PDB file of all heavy atoms in Angstrom:
ATOM      1  N   PRO A 112      30.341 -15.510  10.303  1.00 94.00           N
ATOM      2  CA  PRO A 112      30.100 -14.997   8.943  1.00 94.00           C
ATOM      3  C   PRO A 112      29.883 -16.147   7.963  1.00 94.00           C
ATOM      4  O   PRO A 112      30.604 -17.150   8.021  1.00 94.00           O
ATOM      5  CB  PRO A 112      31.385 -14.239   8.607  1.00 94.00           C
ATOM      6  CG  PRO A 112      32.207 -14.194   9.830  1.00 94.00           C
ATOM      7  CD  PRO A 112      31.628 -15.100  10.850  1.00 94.00           C
ATOM      8  N   MET A 113      28.902 -15.996   7.094  1.00 91.00           N
ATOM      9  CA  MET A 113      28.608 -17.088   6.170  1.00 91.00           C
ATOM     10  C   MET A 113      29.613 -17.137   5.023  1.00 91.00           C
ATOM     11  O   MET A 113      29.847 -18.188   4.451  1.00 91.00           O
ATOM     12  CB  MET A 113      27.197 -16.924   5.596  1.00 91.00           C
ATOM     13  CG  MET A 113      26.111 -17.053   6.640  1.00 91.00           C
ATOM     14  SD  MET A 113      24.500 -16.579   5.972  1.00 91.00           S
ATOM     15  CE  MET A 113      24.068 -18.066   5.066  1.00 91.00           C
ATOM     16  N   ASN A 114      30.191 -15.969   4.701  1.00 91.00           N
ATOM     17  CA  ASN A 114      31.095 -15.869   3.553  1.00 91.00           C
ATOM     18  C   ASN A 114      30.535 -16.563   2.315  1.00 91.00           C
ATOM     19  O   ASN A 114      31.217 -17.321   1.632  1.00 91.00           O
ATOM     20  CB  ASN A 114      32.477 -16.435   3.888  1.00 91.00           C
ATOM     21  CG  ASN A 114      33.202 -15.556   4.895  1.00 91.00           C
ATOM     22  OD1 ASN A 114      32.883 -14.377   5.048  1.00 91.00           O
ATOM     23  ND2 ASN A 114      34.147 -16.124   5.620  1.00 91.00           N
ATOM     24  N   MET A 115      29.272 -16.281   2.084  1.00 89.00           N
ATOM     25  CA  MET A 115      28.623 -16.924   0.936  1.00 89.00           C
ATOM     26  C   MET A 115      29.027 -16.236  -0.365  1.00 89.00           C
ATOM     27  O   MET A 115      29.513 -15.110  -0.359  1.00 89.00           O
ATOM     28  CB  MET A 115      27.110 -16.859   1.120  1.00 89.00           C
ATOM     29  CG  MET A 115      26.613 -15.440   1.270  1.00 89.00           C
ATOM     30  SD  MET A 115      24.909 -15.433   1.824  1.00 89.00           S
ATOM     31  CE  MET A 115      24.849 -13.865   2.685  1.00 89.00           C
ATOM     32  N   ASN A 116      28.802 -16.955  -1.453  1.00 90.00           N
ATOM     33  CA  ASN A 116      29.088 -16.402  -2.777  1.00 90.00           C
ATOM     34  C   ASN A 116      28.065 -15.346  -3.142  1.00 90.00           C
ATOM     35  O   ASN A 116      26.865 -15.590  -3.059  1.00 90.00           O
ATOM     36  CB  ASN A 116      29.018 -17.507  -3.836  1.00 90.00           C
ATOM     37  CG  ASN A 116      30.330 -18.244  -3.945  1.00 90.00           C
ATOM     38  OD1 ASN A 116      31.399 -17.645  -3.782  1.00 90.00           O
ATOM     39  ND2 ASN A 116      30.258 -19.535  -4.214  1.00 90.00           N
ATOM     40  N   ILE A 117      28.554 -14.188  -3.552  1.00 94.00           N
ATOM     41  CA  ILE A 117      27.655 -13.163  -4.080  1.00 94.00           C
ATOM     42  C   ILE A 117      28.028 -12.967  -5.542  1.00 94.00           C
ATOM     43  O   ILE A 117      29.172 -12.664  -5.864  1.00 94.00           O
ATOM     44  CB  ILE A 117      27.813 -11.818  -3.331  1.00 94.00           C
ATOM     45  CG1 ILE A 117      27.637 -11.993  -1.823  1.00 94.00           C
ATOM     46  CG2 ILE A 117      26.861 -10.773  -3.901  1.00 94.00           C
ATOM     47  CD1 ILE A 117      26.226 -12.249  -1.365  1.00 94.00           C
ATOM     48  N   GLU A 118      27.071 -13.194  -6.405  1.00 95.00           N
ATOM     49  CA  GLU A 118      27.344 -13.044  -7.832  1.00 95.00           C
ATOM     50  C   GLU A 118      27.197 -11.567  -8.199  1.00 95.00           C
ATOM     51  O   GLU A 118      26.176 -10.955  -7.928  1.00 95.00           O
ATOM     52  CB  GLU A 118      26.335 -13.904  -8.603  1.00 95.00           C
ATOM     53  CG  GLU A 118      26.644 -14.033 -10.068  1.00 95.00           C
ATOM     54  CD  GLU A 118      25.647 -14.972 -10.761  1.00 95.00           C
ATOM     55  OE1 GLU A 118      25.041 -15.821 -10.072  1.00 95.00           O
ATOM     56  OE2 GLU A 118      25.474 -14.809 -11.974  1.00 95.00           O
ATOM     57  N   VAL A 119      28.247 -10.995  -8.796  1.00 96.00           N
ATOM     58  CA  VAL A 119      28.225  -9.571  -9.153  1.00 96.00           C
ATOM     59  C   VAL A 119      28.120  -9.434 -10.670  1.00 96.00           C
ATOM     60  O   VAL A 119      28.965  -9.944 -11.405  1.00 96.00           O
ATOM     61  CB  VAL A 119      29.511  -8.871  -8.654  1.00 96.00           C
ATOM     62  CG1 VAL A 119      29.498  -7.392  -9.039  1.00 96.00           C
ATOM     63  CG2 VAL A 119      29.642  -9.022  -7.147  1.00 96.00           C
ATOM     64  N   ARG A 120      27.070  -8.783 -11.113  1.00 95.00           N
ATOM     65  CA  ARG A 120      26.871  -8.616 -12.553  1.00 95.00           C
ATOM     66  C   ARG A 120      26.632  -7.153 -12.871  1.00 95.00           C
ATOM     67  O   ARG A 120      25.804  -6.513 -12.224  1.00 95.00           O
ATOM     68  CB  ARG A 120      25.634  -9.423 -13.005  1.00 95.00           C
ATOM     69  CG  ARG A 120      25.674 -10.907 -12.649  1.00 95.00           C
ATOM     70  CD  ARG A 120      26.569 -11.683 -13.571  1.00 95.00           C
ATOM     71  NE  ARG A 120      26.165 -11.561 -14.956  1.00 95.00           N
ATOM     72  CZ  ARG A 120      25.234 -12.354 -15.531  1.00 95.00           C
ATOM     73  NH1 ARG A 120      24.663 -13.304 -14.836  1.00 95.00           N
ATOM     74  NH2 ARG A 120      24.917 -12.175 -16.788  1.00 95.00           N
ATOM     75  N   GLN A 121      27.339  -6.650 -13.857  1.00 93.00           N
ATOM     76  CA  GLN A 121      27.096  -5.260 -14.237  1.00 93.00           C
ATOM     77  C   GLN A 121      25.800  -5.164 -15.028  1.00 93.00           C
ATOM     78  O   GLN A 121      25.495  -6.038 -15.856  1.00 93.00           O
ATOM     79  CB  GLN A 121      28.257  -4.705 -15.066  1.00 93.00           C
ATOM     80  CG  GLN A 121      28.061  -3.212 -15.334  1.00 93.00           C
ATOM     81  CD  GLN A 121      29.322  -2.509 -15.801  1.00 93.00           C
ATOM     82  OE1 GLN A 121      30.378  -3.126 -15.904  1.00 93.00           O
ATOM     83  NE2 GLN A 121      29.206  -1.226 -16.069  1.00 93.00           N
ATOM     84  N   VAL A 122      25.033  -4.116 -14.753  1.00 92.00           N
ATOM     85  CA  VAL A 122      23.798  -3.884 -15.482  1.00 92.00           C
ATOM     86  C   VAL A 122      24.154  -3.086 -16.734  1.00 92.00           C
ATOM     87  O   VAL A 122      24.836  -2.069 -16.655  1.00 92.00           O
ATOM     88  CB  VAL A 122      22.789  -3.093 -14.614  1.00 92.00           C
ATOM     89  CG1 VAL A 122      21.512  -2.803 -15.394  1.00 92.00           C
ATOM     90  CG2 VAL A 122      22.481  -3.873 -13.341  1.00 92.00           C
ATOM     91  N   MET A 123      23.729  -3.558 -17.885  1.00 88.00           N
ATOM     92  CA  MET A 123      24.089  -2.875 -19.126  1.00 88.00           C
ATOM     93  C   MET A 123      23.391  -1.527 -19.193  1.00 88.00           C
ATOM     94  O   MET A 123      22.291  -1.367 -18.702  1.00 88.00           O
ATOM     95  CB  MET A 123      23.742  -3.749 -20.323  1.00 88.00           C
ATOM     96  CG  MET A 123      24.610  -5.006 -20.358  1.00 88.00           C
ATOM     97  SD  MET A 123      24.122  -6.153 -21.634  1.00 88.00           S
ATOM     98  CE  MET A 123      25.080  -5.529 -23.005  1.00 88.00           C
ATOM     99  N   SER A 124      24.085  -0.589 -19.819  1.00 79.00           N
ATOM    100  CA  SER A 124      23.552   0.772 -19.837  1.00 79.00           C
ATOM    101  C   SER A 124      22.892   1.079 -21.173  1.00 79.00           C
ATOM    102  O   SER A 124      22.888   0.261 -22.078  1.00 79.00           O
ATOM    103  CB  SER A 124      24.677   1.765 -19.575  1.00 79.00           C
ATOM    104  OG  SER A 124      25.698   1.561 -20.507  1.00 79.00           O
ATOM    105  N   GLY A 125      22.353   2.277 -21.280  1.00 73.00           N
ATOM    106  CA  GLY A 125      21.734   2.719 -22.519  1.00 73.00           C
ATOM    107  C   GLY A 125      22.798   2.978 -23.586  1.00 73.00           C
ATOM    108  O   GLY A 125      23.990   2.816 -23.325  1.00 73.00           O
ATOM    109  N   PRO A 126      22.386   3.367 -24.781  1.00 72.00           N
ATOM    110  CA  PRO A 126      23.365   3.598 -25.853  1.00 72.00           C
ATOM    111  C   PRO A 126      24.283   4.780 -25.522  1.00 72.00           C
ATOM    112  O   PRO A 126      23.874   5.700 -24.819  1.00 72.00           O
ATOM    113  CB  PRO A 126      22.497   3.922 -27.072  1.00 72.00           C
ATOM    114  CG  PRO A 126      21.183   4.334 -26.521  1.00 72.00           C
ATOM    115  CD  PRO A 126      21.025   3.618 -25.223  1.00 72.00           C
ATOM    116  N   PRO A 127      25.533   4.737 -25.999  1.00 70.00           N
ATOM    117  CA  PRO A 127      26.461   5.850 -25.761  1.00 70.00           C
ATOM    118  C   PRO A 127      25.953   7.129 -26.441  1.00 70.00           C
ATOM    119  O   PRO A 127      25.186   7.046 -27.402  1.00 70.00           O
ATOM    120  CB  PRO A 127      27.773   5.374 -26.383  1.00 70.00           C
ATOM    121  CG  PRO A 127      27.378   4.287 -27.326  1.00 70.00           C
ATOM    122  CD  PRO A 127      26.135   3.669 -26.789  1.00 70.00           C
ATOM    123  N   PRO A 128      26.394   8.295 -25.940  1.00 70.00           N
ATOM    124  CA  PRO A 128      25.860   9.584 -26.412  1.00 70.00           C
ATOM    125  C   PRO A 128      25.895   9.744 -27.932  1.00 70.00           C
ATOM    126  O   PRO A 128      24.973  10.317 -28.510  1.00 70.00           O
ATOM    127  CB  PRO A 128      26.773  10.614 -25.752  1.00 70.00           C
ATOM    128  CG  PRO A 128      27.406   9.916 -24.607  1.00 70.00           C
ATOM    129  CD  PRO A 128      27.413   8.458 -24.916  1.00 70.00           C
ATOM    130  N   GLU A 129      26.948   9.205 -28.598  1.00 71.00           N
ATOM    131  CA  GLU A 129      27.047   9.462 -30.032  1.00 71.00           C
ATOM    132  C   GLU A 129      25.943   8.748 -30.839  1.00 71.00           C
ATOM    133  O   GLU A 129      25.732   9.047 -32.004  1.00 71.00           O
ATOM    134  CB  GLU A 129      28.441   9.085 -30.566  1.00 71.00           C
ATOM    135  CG  GLU A 129      28.850   7.649 -30.388  1.00 71.00           C
ATOM    136  CD  GLU A 129      29.639   7.431 -29.102  1.00 71.00           C
ATOM    137  OE1 GLU A 129      29.358   8.143 -28.112  1.00 71.00           O
ATOM    138  OE2 GLU A 129      30.524   6.552 -29.079  1.00 71.00           O
TER     139      GLU A 129
END
Side-chain angles (χ1 to χ4, degrees):
Chain A
M113 295 170 79
N114 291 339
M115 58 192 152
N116 275 326
I117 306 288
E118 190 177 337
V119 179
R120 305 283 302 274
Q121 186 164 358
V122 178
M123 294 174 88
S124 55
E129 60 267 33

